[in-house]
Amino acid sequence: MDRFIQSPMKQRLISARWMTLLFQLLSLSLVLIYQRETLTPRSLGFSGLLIVLTLLSQFLVNLFHQADSYLLMIANMLFSIGVILIYRLSSYYGYRQLIFYTLGIALFFVAYFLLEGTAGFWVKKICFYFFGAAALLVLTLLFGFVSGGAKNWIEIGGFSFQPSEIAKVPFCFLIAGFYSNRERVRKRKGGKYFLMAMTYILIALFFLQRELGTAMVFMAILFSAQVAFEEDKKLIFLNVALAVIGMVAAYYLFGHIRTRVDIWIDPWVDMDGRGYQITQSLFGIAAGGFFGTGLGLGHPQYIPLAYSDFIFSAIAEEMGTFMGIAVIMLYLILVYRGMKISLAQPHAFYKVLALCISISFAAQALIMIGGVLKLIPLTGITLPFMAHGGSSLVTSFVLLGILFYCSNAALEVPREE
Amino acid sequence: MKNNPKRILVLLYAITAIFLAMCLYLVYFQLFTAPKIIGNPYNRRNYVDETLIRRGNFYDMYGRALTHTIDDAGHLLDNPRSYAHIIGYNSEEYGKSGMERTYNSTLLGLSQDDLFGKFKDIVQGQVGNDIYLTVDDDLQLYCYDLLEGHKGAIVVLDPSTGAIRAMVSRPSFNANEINALWEEIIEDEDAPLLNRASQGLYTPGSVMKVITAVAIMESDIDQNYHDTGEQTIDGYTYFNYLEAVHGDIDLQDALVHSVNTYFTKKSTEVGYALLREVADRFYFNSAIPFELVTSISEAYTKPDMSENEIAAAGFGQGDTLVTPLNMALAIGAIGNDGVMMRPNILQEIRSPRGVATFTSVPQMLSRVTSPSLAARLTVDLVETVNTGGAATLSGVHVAGKTGSAENISGYSHAWFVGFAPAERPELALAIVLEEEGQTGAAAAAPLARRIFQYMLSE
């Protein structure tokens, strides 16, 4: 990498790292003041651990001179905002989230080194990815249990997790494999429809689980990948047409989808019942104003699932609309850098992969923030890096690790097979 | 694979646009949607907060206090009966009414976005915003006393700005004692909770002739008439008050003597379309934007009205129903060169630190007729008052019209609408005395005279 670019960039990185630290120190002291009556050594332990872990992860990431250190820095900032609010709502969920974060950071580096060691291995395993993703979803259907309206949880050895979150990883690989091996797949009969067919099967499985949000994320990834890489423009239009038909059909076929759309159109008629969540979310955001009520001074506990699905509303209430905008901008910068990596990456497989991962972050953020703002119907997915939830947080860090690898390779000499 | 950086860039631009749109929406939500939903009864934040927040107080246009804080949170009205329908009550059990209800979140300071105020709240406890009304406290109390012994309403406003100077409705109730008196109040057949000034719908009788006169002047029909004391339309015969006979008259004579036969005949000649159009311009048949609950006046609602129904509506009988607020605005518009202003009772919102965070700006509501026509009608209305005598003042020209509206009770409503000084009106008013059983000239006009005298004579 060019030395002339590197040194000022390095300086900016350092100041960015201090920004995260500054935010953590200020907001953690507010939380500690708020919890002053129930303060335990564990509270200080939480604060210390959060600061140490983020600093350590950023220090480690800076050792990779060739890769984009901003990625983890942005994720750390988003995570800090989220976890501090979660901790303020419930210290138990706060600790849990910090443990998931530790695991996530570890897997971030594992993903990086795994790809570095076996970069060529992953390129051609298209069917493996599809069956991997499908198996996760089928397993959930067979052995899963219902939580929060969707049957998307599975329990193994005392640990419960959401396979639909994890399925995002093989799905991104599937698209990358398809487009980087396009010529080979095309030779087969009907080969060019292969990706769409597989995606629709996965989306059908999501519908059976009532996982509407993740289905929308998958659709967004497929559509974006087509816009960026599809040679046959007819396929893009076909996909859009099918998606529209599918949405209309789903509206008439499934009662729970109709319900969601009805709530979205007018939640005010049933504020006690089905419209409760979204109206409480809007009250929360409205109560915060532009500057927020201040940490510990609002009532985000009135919003159902304020620590997970509705974390954005809780942040807007206590930290203000300006923080809400800051969060949206952080996601935008993350997505922007991801797509820049995709542009710079010469290796076809990792180019597509970087784009898919960026889109997955963008789609999740937009669908979830749009949902709690009542811009679009509400679906139960998670805000990447912010919402409470192990599967989601760990998966997001794995995807980020893969993106981190793509950024590293982007700066090296192309290594086409 | 298609490797075209342009396509990725297009995607990036699109996503950036969506993210930025989301930020803009958030700002929009905070500016426009949030103030509307924050006072919603399902927002539990309001309940916890109210007992902790020192509720803002009310002041009149000169800054005179109308309420006083009594304990940590609530306040009491200094004159709980005369302001029962403007400020209203605030009860945990029975909810809120009036401005207490409309501006609940302002009084609680919930919608304030004031960074320094927030710091102060945390240190000193939260304090709500104060509300300054356009009402003149002296006039309000004076008008309330004038209605002693009557049922009815008085609305006094500044026709050039729409600012309400007094708004009284009787019977009234003690807004401070709502919890103790609730059962008694809601069982009272005279409905003291009803704000007759803005919600009461009354048959207007002859005061409606002012609006009919506008339609007659705008039409191209012959404004002269030969009165024989009766007028038959479609087999139904109308007579004048006390069966008077006026001979050859024009529009001014018809207004001065309130000639029913004239208005029945001329209304049918003007026809439904123009009458309805003029009525709509005076904001009949549509909601008048106002801070307090307001009923919609009804006139010429059915397009298939018979000749007979049009004739009756032309002199304010039949199905016509109006609110005193609407009539005050209507007569004020004649005095204000044909421009009807939007009524407002909120003058200013002041933060706990005394900074005005909102100041109301006069807004035009409707152009009811041309300035020249309004001026001609004003001359006629001054002549009407001078001839009638009951509302005249020395040194000040009063323009106005009385009305005695027959209704199902058998006791007519006594009306007076007018403005003064006629040349450059400072006040417009509407007075209705419900089921008074006397004429407007006998019962309502003297009250108007006293109000004008109180306000305009040095």
Side-chain angles (χ1 to χ4, degrees), chain B residues 337-365:
Chain B
D337 298 331
V339 174
M340 187 189 269
M341 300 302 288
R342 181 191 201 279
N344 71 292
I345 198 160
L346 172 74
Q347 182 166 285
E348 217 165 67
I349 296 172
R350 290 199 195 170
S351 75
R353 289 179 300 141
V355 180
T357 53
F358 171 85
T359 304
S360 77
V361 180
Q363 284 174 357
M364 180 177 152
L365 191 62

Side-chain angles (χ1 to χ4, degrees), chain A residues 179 226-227 229-231 271-272 280 283-285 289-290 297 299 302 317 321 351-352 359 366 373, chain B residues 1-3 7 11-12 15 19 22-23 26 30 34 37-38 40 42-45 48 113 115 122:
Chain A
Y179 279 112
Q226 282 184 327
V227 169
F229 306 115
E230 184 57 60
E231 279 164 33
M271 283 189 277
D272 269 334
Q280 292 299 323
F283 291 149
I285 299 167
F290 283 102
L297 296 171
H299 300 281
Y302 293 159
E317 174 167 3
T321 286
K351 186 184 193 68
V352 184
I359 297 296
L366 289 172
L373 282 172
Chain B
M1 183 181 85
K2 186 91 175 169
N3 189 3
R7 295 234 218 145
L11 205 56
L12 178 60
I15 288 171
F19 270 100
M22 195 81 92
C23 293
L26 203 49
Q30 213 51 267
I37 63 167
I38 199 152
N40 191 299
Y42 281 85
N43 185 358
R44 285 163 61 198
R45 286 163 188 80
V48 244
D113 230 318
L115 199 54
I122 294 162

Side-chain angles (χ1 to χ4, degrees), chain B residues 162-180:
Chain B
I164 305 286
R165 295 298 179 216
M167 176 178 259
V168 173
S169 169
R170 288 189 81 152
S172 190
F173 59 96
N174 185 333
N176 286 342
E177 304 293 334
I178 192 74
N179 289 342

Side-chain angles (χ1 to χ4, degrees), chain A residues 59 99 177 187 288 293 309 322 332 348 362 370 383 388:
Chain A
F59 170 75
I99 293 165
K187 281 178 201 148
T293 59
D309 287 14
F322 285 136
L332 178 57
L383 210 49
H388 177 265

Side-chain angles (χ1 to χ4, degrees), chain B residues 229-299:
Chain B
E230 59 177 74
Q231 173 71 50
T232 304
I233 289 163
D234 235 359
Y236 190 90
T237 306
Y238 298 90
F239 299 95
N240 289 324
Y241 180 64
L242 299 178
E243 288 167 21
V245 180
H246 299 283
D248 285 316
I249 54 169
D250 61 9
L251 177 60
Q252 191 188 73
D253 301 322
L255 279 168
V256 167
H257 302 292
S258 203
V259 183
N260 292 345
T261 51
Y262 178 93
F263 282 96
T264 53
K265 179 68 181 155
K266 296 300 174 190
S267 304
T268 53
E269 285 175 22
V270 170
Y272 176 83
L274 183 58
L275 285 168
R276 166 79 197 222
E277 191 205 314
V278 170
D280 285 351
R281 271 187 256 145
F282 278 96
Y283 253 75
F284 295 103
N285 308 317
S286 51
I288 295 172
F290 189 49
E291 292 98 333
L292 301 173
V293 183
T294 306
S295 300
I296 296 176
S297 305
E298 296 165 12

Side-chain angles (χ1 to χ4, degrees), chain A residues 19-20 23-24 50 54 58 70-86 97 101 311-312 315 319 323-335 361-362 365 369 383-388 393 396-397 400, chain B residues 19:
Chain A
M19 287 302 282
T20 311
F23 170 77
Q24 289 171 337
L50 174 63
T54 45
Q58 278 163 26
Y70 272 105
L71 295 175
L72 189 69
M73 210 153 284
I74 297 163
N76 272 343
M77 187 69 189
L78 286 168
F79 169 76
S80 300
I81 298 169
V83 78
I84 287 169
L85 203 101
I86 294 167
Q97 184 79 339
Y101 173 70
I311 189 149
F312 185 82
I315 286 168
M319 304 189 189
M323 182 56 109
I325 291 172
V327 166
I328 296 174
M329 296 321 271
L330 280 169
Y331 281 115
L332 178 57
I333 299 168
L334 181 68
V335 172
F361 292 148
I369 297 174
L383 210 49
F385 306 109
M386 300 191 90
H388 177 265
L393 192 67
S396 296
F397 273 108
L400 195 74
Chain B
F19 270 100

